[in-house]
C-alpha cells in the first residue's frame, strides 16, 4: 500500500540540500541492490529487477522470507496470515506488563498506554534496536528511535493500532562500541572514552559506567563551553553516574529527550523477555543441524550472486552464546552436534541435552547472536515491521534463513532514514559558497575540483582538453606515416595525460584553498557533516545536540525527519 507522500515525507528540500545516498556511495552494495529492485518493481519492471544477479537489478529474493518495504510505502497486512498462537500472545501480554514497570522507572510518561497496545493482539509492532551507547550512542541511534516511533504513528494515522518497541541490546559485549562519545567542539570533533576494557566478554548490561564517566562529562564541559551546555551536562550526570548501568542511563536519557513520543524500551536482559525467548532458544538447539544447513545454503546463494557475506561463515558454530562467570562466549558444536563447547574456554561445555536443560531452567544465561536475534525478537514480539540500518540490512539475508527453520512469521523490513544536523547559518554558508550538500560530502579530490571550478581556478582541465586535441591530431599524422606507431603512441598519450592528472591532484587543492576565508568555512562545514571522515550521525553522540539546542532539538527532529531512506534528512533545530 502506498503511503500518503505528505505523511512519510516532510517535503522537498532545497536543491542544495538534496543528497541521494545511493548515488553518493553512502549505502552498502546489497542495500543499493534492494533499492534498485524496489524502484524497478514500482516502475513495472519488477520481474526483470528482483532477483537479478547484479547490483543494479535488485536482490529482494535473497531477503526472503522477509519482505523489503519500498520507500514511500506503508506495510500491508502482516505477511504471516495466521494469528499468533495463544501461548505467544500470553507471553507478549506478560512482557507488556513487565515493560510497564521498567518504562515507568525510566520516567516514560506513556508507559501504561504503550504497554496496553503491545498486549493487544491486533497491534502492529514496529521494532528497532541498538546497543546502549555512552551518552545515547551515536546520533543514528536517536534517528532510529525517532523513526520507529514515527512509523508507528504513520500506521495509526492509517487507522491501525500500532506500537514502537526499541530493543536495547544489553546482552552484547562490544565494549568499544558503547564506551566512546564524540562531540563537535569549536576546533572540530573531540572524542572521549571510558578507558580500556577490563572485562572484554562481559555483557554491556552487567557493566556500570565507572568513575571514568565523571571525567568524560568534565571533558565535554571543557570542549563545549557555555552555560546552556553546562546545565545540560548537569542533567545528564543525574543518569550517567559511576554506579549506573549502561542500559539504565541510556533509557533514562532517551525518555527525557522524547517524552511520550519515546518507543517502549525493551532491555534485552529483562527476565520476562528471557522467559519468553525460551522456546526459540531451545528450538535453535534442537534444530542445530537444520540451522547450520540453512545458513550454509543462504551463504552459498549470496556468494553466487556476488554479494559480500557480512557475517563470516563459522562451521560448527551456533548462533547462540552462553554466559558463565561473567563471560559471554559463543557455543560451538562438537561430536556432530551431540555436545557443545564454549569458544576460547577450556571448560564449560557439555551435552546438547544439558544445554537444553540450561535453556529450560535459566534462559537468562543464553542469548542469541547477530544472526539469530532478529528471528527471536520477532517471535516474541510478533513484529510487523523491522526498521534496520544499512549495515543491519546488509546482514539480514543471512539472518533471514533462520525464520523458516524456527517456524517464525517474518515481518516487513524497512531501511531507516539517515540524518545530519545543520544550523540555518551553516546552510546559508553552503549557499554562499555555491556548494551543495552532495558536493560537500563527496571525496576531497572531487570537492576541490568543484570549488576550483567555481572560483575559476581549475587551470589544468582546459589545458588538458587542448592537449588531448593536439594528441588526436598527432595520432592521425603518426598512423598516416606508419600504422605500427599506434601502440607506442597510445603509451605516450597515456603517460602525458597521467602526468597531467598527477599534477592536477596537487594544483586543484591549491586553487581551491587560495581564498583562505572560503577554505576555512568549507573545512568547518565538512568537519560538521563528516567528522573524522564519517557521516555525522555515525560519530557525534546523541546527547551533544540537546546541549547545544535545548528542548527544540528533539521537537525539530520529530517534525523534520524524512522517513524516505534514499536521501539524507537534514535537521535544522
Amino acid at each position: 500500500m502506498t503511503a500518503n507522500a505528505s505523511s512519510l515525507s516532510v517535503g522537498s528540500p532545497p536543491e542544495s540540500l538534496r543528497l541521494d545516498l545511493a548515488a553518493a556511495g553512502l549505502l552498502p552494495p546489497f542495500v543499493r541492490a534492494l533499492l534498485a529492485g524496489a524502484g524497478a518493481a514500482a516502475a513495472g519492471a519488477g520481474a526483470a529487477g528482483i532477483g537479478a544477479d547484479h547490483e543494479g537489478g535488485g536482490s529482494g529474493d535473497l531477503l526472503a522470507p522477509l519482505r523489503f518495504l519500498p520507500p514511500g510505502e506503508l506495510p500491508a497486512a502482516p505477511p504471516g496470515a495466521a494469528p499468533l498462537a495463544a501461548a505467544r500472545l500470553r507471553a507478549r501480554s506478560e512482557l507488556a506488563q513487565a515493560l510497564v514497570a521498567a518504562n515507568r522507572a525510566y520516567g516514560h510518561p506513556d508507559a501504561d498506554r504503550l504497554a496496553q497496545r503491545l498486549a493487544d493482539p491486533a497491534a502492529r509492532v514496529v521494532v528497532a534496536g541498538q546497543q546502549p551507547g555512552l551518552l545515547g550512542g551515536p546520533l543514528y541511534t536517536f534517528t532510529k528511535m525517532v523513526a520507529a516511533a514515527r512509523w508507528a504513528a504513520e500506521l495509526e494515522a492509517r487507522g491501525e493500532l500500532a506500537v514502537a518497541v526499541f530493543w536495547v541490546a544489553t546482552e552484547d559485549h562490544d565494549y568499544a562500541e558503547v564506551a566512546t562519545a564524540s562531540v563537535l567542539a569549536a576546533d572540530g570533533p573531540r572524542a572521549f572514552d571510558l578507558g580500556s576494557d577490563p572485562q572484554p566478554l562481559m555483557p554491556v548490561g552487567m557493566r556500570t559506567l565507572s568513575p571514568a564517566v565523571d571525567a568524560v562529562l568534565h571533558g565535554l564541559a571543557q570542549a563545549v563551553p557555555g552555560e546552556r551546555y553546562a546545565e545540560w551536562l548537569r542533567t545528564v550526570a543525574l543518569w550517567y553516574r559511576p554506579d549506573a548501568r549502561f542500559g539504565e542511563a541510556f533509557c533514562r536519557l532517551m525518555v527525557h529527550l522524547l517524552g511520550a513520543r519515546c518507543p517502549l524500551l525493551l532491555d534485552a536482559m529483562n527476565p520476562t523477555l528471557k522467559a519468553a525467548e525460551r522456546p526459540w532458544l531451545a528450538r535453535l538447539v534442537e534444530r542445530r543441524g537444520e540451522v547450520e544447513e540453512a545458513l550454509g545454503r543462504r551463504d552459498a546463494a549470496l556468494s553466487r550472486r556476488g554479494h559480500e557475506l557480512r557475517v563470516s561463515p563459522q562451521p560448527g558454530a551456533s548462533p547462540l552464546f552462553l554466559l558463565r562467570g561473567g563471560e559471554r562466549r559463543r557455543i560451538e558444536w562438537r561430536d556432530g552436534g551431540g555436545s557443545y563447547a564454549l569458544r576460547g574456554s577450556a571448560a564449560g561445555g557439555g551435552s546438547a541435552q544439558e544445554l537444553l536443560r540450561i535453556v529450560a531452567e535459566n534462559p537468562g544465561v543464553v542469548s542469541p547472536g547477530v544472526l539469530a536475534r532478529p528471528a527471536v525478537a520477532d517471535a516474541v514480539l510478533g513484529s510487523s515491521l523491522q526498521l534496520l540500518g544499512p549495515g543491519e540490512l546488509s546482514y539480514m539475508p543471512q539472518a533471514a534463513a533462520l525464520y523458516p527453520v524456527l517456524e517464525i512469521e517474518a515481518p516487513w523490513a524497512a531501511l531507516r532514514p539517515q540524518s545530519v544536523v545543520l544550523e540555518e547559518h551553516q546552510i546559508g554558508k553552503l549557499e554562499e559558497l555555491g556548494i551543495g550538500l552532495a558536493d560537500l560530502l563527496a571525496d576531497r579530490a572531487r570537492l576541490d575540483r568543484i570549488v576550483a571550478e567555481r572560483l575559476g581556478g581549475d587551470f589544468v582541465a582546459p589545458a588538458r582538453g587542448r592537449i588531448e586535441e593536439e594528441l588526436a591530431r598527432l595520432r592521425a599524422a603518426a598512423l598516416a606515416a606508419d600504422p605500427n606507431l599506434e601502440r607506442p603512441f597510445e603509451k605516450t598519450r597515456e603517460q602525458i595525460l597521467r602526468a597531467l592528472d598527477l599534477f592536477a591532484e596537487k594544483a586543484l587543492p591549491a586553487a581551491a584553498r587560495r581564498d583562505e576565508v572560503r577554505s576555512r568555512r568549507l573545512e568547518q562545514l565538512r568537519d560538521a557533516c563528516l567528522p573524522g571522515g564519517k557521516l555525522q550521525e555515525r560519530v557525534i553522540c546523541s546527547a551533544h545536540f540537546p546541549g547545544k539546542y535545548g528542548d527544540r532539538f528533539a521537537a525539530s527532529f520529530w517534525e523534520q525527519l524524512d522517513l524516505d531512506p534514499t536521501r539524507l534528512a537534514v535537521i535544522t533545530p
Side-chain angles (χ1 to χ4, degrees):
M1 175 176 180
T2 302
N4 185 324
S6 65
S7 59
L8 285 178
S9 173
V10 295
S12 256
E15 189 61 35
S16 62
L17 298 182
R18 285 179 177 274
L19 190 148
D20 183 315
L21 290 162
L26 296 173
L27 292 175
F30 182 76
V31 176
R32 295 200 298 270
L34 280 177
L35 291 170
I50 297 295
D53 291 340
H54 53 84
E55 181 187 320
S59 295
D61 60 318
L62 291 175
L63 199 59
L66 280 84
R67 290 197 275 180
F68 180 63
L69 187 66
E73 295 190 12
L74 288 171
L84 292 179
R88 290 177 66 188
L89 282 175
R90 183 168 59 252
R92 193 165 96 172
S93 178
E94 291 171 355
L95 179 60
Q97 293 176 23
L99 292 186
V100 171
N103 280 263
R104 281 179 184 167
Y106 303 143
H108 201 311
D110 210 17
D112 293 70
R113 185 180 67 87
L114 294 180
Q116 287 173 3
R117 293 195 176 188
L118 181 61
D120 192 317
R124 307 286 298 277
V125 181
V126 180
V127 184
Q130 193 64 38
Q131 277 191 272
L134 180 62
L135 301 180
L139 181 62
Y140 71 78
T141 305
F142 187 73
T143 303
K144 192 183 294 188
M145 191 173 286
V146 172
R150 283 276 311 279
W151 269 108
E154 295 292 341
L155 289 169
E156 294 218 321
R158 194 173 71 177
E160 300 187 53
L161 195 67
V163 61
V165 176
F166 194 86
W167 185 282
V168 184
T170 51
E171 288 185 311
D172 290 9
H173 57 263
D174 189 349
Y175 183 77
E177 186 175 325
V178 300
T180 300
S182 296
V183 298
L184 284 171
D187 57 349
R190 296 276 302 278
F192 301 86
D193 63 65
L194 297 175
S196 59
D197 185 359
Q199 295 174 289
L201 296 178
M202 177 177 282
V204 168
M206 295 175 63
R207 298 172 181 266
T208 58
L209 293 161
S210 83
V213 73
D214 289 337
V216 167
L217 293 175
H218 178 71
L220 291 176
Q222 291 183 316
V224 189
E227 182 51 36
R228 179 163 63 188
Y229 206 90
E231 177 61 30
W232 167 240
L233 289 177
R234 286 192 285 271
T235 300
V236 170
L238 298 176
W239 312 307
Y240 281 85
R241 309 179 312 273
D243 62 334
R245 296 187 184 272
F246 277 86
E248 173 198 357
F250 172 88
C251 291
R252 289 179 181 273
L253 170 64
M254 292 304 185
V255 165
H256 177 88
L257 293 178
L258 287 172
R261 290 170 169 164
C262 186
L264 204 57
L265 300 174
L266 174 55
D267 188 321
M269 298 184 78
N270 184 291
T272 306
L273 171 64
K274 297 305 299 179
E277 289 179 355
R278 186 186 287 118
W280 316 106
L281 299 175
R283 197 166 287 185
L284 284 163
V285 176
E286 294 163 345
R287 303 182 183 181
R288 52 197 176 275
E290 297 171 63
V291 165
E292 186 165 3
E293 288 175 8
L295 291 173
R297 285 194 302 271
R298 185 57 61 91
D299 288 350
L302 284 161
S303 295
R304 282 196 303 271
R305 299 271 285 276
H307 291 294
E308 176 190 2
L309 298 181
R310 298 301 292 263
V311 180
S312 299
Q314 302 178 56
S318 160
L320 292 171
F321 287 77
L322 184 64
L323 180 63
R324 182 162 290 171
E327 295 183 335
R328 180 177 181 255
R329 293 183 180 272
R330 183 177 291 278
I331 295 169
E332 296 183 326
W333 299 118
R334 299 283 191 271
D335 306 320
S339 63
Y340 75 94
L342 299 182
R343 178 176 294 176
S345 174
S351 70
Q353 290 303 312
E354 288 170 339
L355 183 57
L356 283 170
R357 282 197 294 274
I358 292 173
V359 170
E361 296 170 4
N362 189 14
V365 299
V366 183
S367 57
V370 66
L371 294 183
R373 184 189 300 124
V376 171
D378 291 334
V380 173
L381 295 171
S383 312
S384 290
L385 176 66
Q386 271 198 42
L387 194 62
L388 302 163
E392 293 168 316
L393 193 52
S394 294
Y395 71 68
M396 279 306 293
Q398 293 172 271
L402 296 186
Y403 284 80
V405 177
L406 301 180
E407 300 178 55
I408 296 167
E409 301 89 349
W412 291 90
L415 178 63
R416 71 163 177 86
Q418 298 186 62
S419 65
V420 63
V421 178
L422 283 176
E423 299 174 10
E424 290 284 2
H425 77 92
Q426 291 174 315
I427 295 172
K429 285 180 181 177
L430 273 177
E431 294 172 351
E432 288 175 17
L433 294 168
I435 298 294
L437 191 56
D439 299 330
L440 185 70
L441 299 186
D443 67 83
R444 189 64 214 224
R446 178 185 161 193
L447 177 59
D448 285 338
R449 188 178 306 111
I450 292 168
V451 173
E453 289 172 354
R454 300 277 164 83
L455 294 175
D458 186 0
F459 46 82
V460 179
R464 191 185 195 278
R466 291 192 298 271
I467 291 170
E468 283 192 275
E469 292 174 2
E470 290 298 326
L471 286 171
R473 284 191 281 271
L474 178 60
R475 179 181 182 277
L479 295 186
D482 184 353
N484 292 323
L485 290 174
E486 181 168 13
R487 177 174 289 183
F489 169 82
E490 289 299 332
K491 185 175 181 180
T492 302
R493 178 183 182 278
E494 182 181 333
Q495 291 173 339
I496 291 171
L497 295 180
R498 176 58 181 157
L500 279 171
D501 291 339
L502 289 172
F503 175 70
E505 289 178 9
K506 297 181 179 180
L508 288 178
R513 298 167 192 174
R514 183 174 53 193
D515 183 330
E516 292 184 5
V517 174
R518 179 185 289 263
S519 179
R520 185 168 59 253
R521 287 179 178 174
L522 198 60
E523 285 297 328
Q524 290 171 342
L525 287 168
R526 193 169 167 87
D527 276 347
C529 295
L530 281 177
K534 297 181 180 179
L535 283 175
Q536 182 195 82
E537 68 160 17
R538 305 203 66 81
V539 178
I540 306 304
C541 70
S542 300
H544 168 70
F545 299 95
K548 287 196 69 177
Y549 307 115
D551 293 341
R552 75 179 190 271
F553 168 71
S556 299
F557 217 98
W558 179 271
E559 294 163 3
Q560 298 174 25
L561 183 66
D562 192 336
L563 294 182
D564 182 352
T566 65
R567 65 191 194 193
L568 188 64
V570 179
I571 310 298
T572 307

